[in-house]
Amino acid sequence: MQSYTIGQAARLLGVSPDTARRWADAGRITTHRDETGRRLVDGRDLAAFSVELARSATPEDDAPYTSARNAFPGIVTAVKLGDVAAQVEIQAGPHRLVSLLTREAVEELGLEVGMEATARVKSTNVHIDRA
């Protein structure tokens, strides 16, 4: 059976290692120690917990309704405006995403360097949602 360290489990759950440790300390995630003393989470337990976590999650009140599933929240690092088209770059953790969209869309969203935004990737398109 595959086991995961607290750090690996946190990455798979999309939370910080500190959060995963707190959940383990509170008994929400079952852990055991290996021969070196590292805390491990059984793969089956982690899979069940991730399903439970997803089911119990409440959507944020201000979260946009969208069919795009691959969301990358980040910060706008560049906005290049042309006469008609524009290019927006977002740094989302280790990921740099670039979207080509209309100048009008950038202006309507009020996108500026330094603001929060979410890049949503669907097929070969990158959509930008203002946070």
Side-chain angles (χ1 to χ4, degrees), residues 12 36 38 54 70 119:
L12 292 169
T36 65
R38 291 185 311 166
N70 300 317

Side-chain angles (χ1 to χ4, degrees), residues 81-103:
L81 297 174
D83 291 337
V84 176
Q87 178 178 311
V88 177
E89 294 181 24
I90 292 180
Q91 191 68 40
H95 309 289
R96 177 180 164 262
L97 297 115
V98 179
S99 180
L100 300 176
L101 54 164
T102 65
R103 178 185 182 116

Side-chain angles (χ1 to χ4, degrees), residues 68-125:
R69 298 289 180 228
N70 300 317
F72 295 87
I75 188 166
V76 176
T77 57
V79 176
K80 297 174 187 163
L81 297 174
D83 291 337
V84 176
Q87 178 178 311
V88 177
E89 294 181 24
I90 292 180
Q91 191 68 40
H95 309 289
R96 177 180 164 262
L97 297 115
V98 179
S99 180
L100 300 176
L101 54 164
T102 65
R103 178 185 182 116
E104 181 181 12
V106 171
E107 290 170 349
E108 284 179 8
L109 290 170
L111 295 175
E112 297 176 356
V113 172
M115 72 184 315
E116 269 187 86
T118 300
R120 296 191 187 275
V121 179
K122 190 163 185 176
S123 186
T124 58
N125 300 314

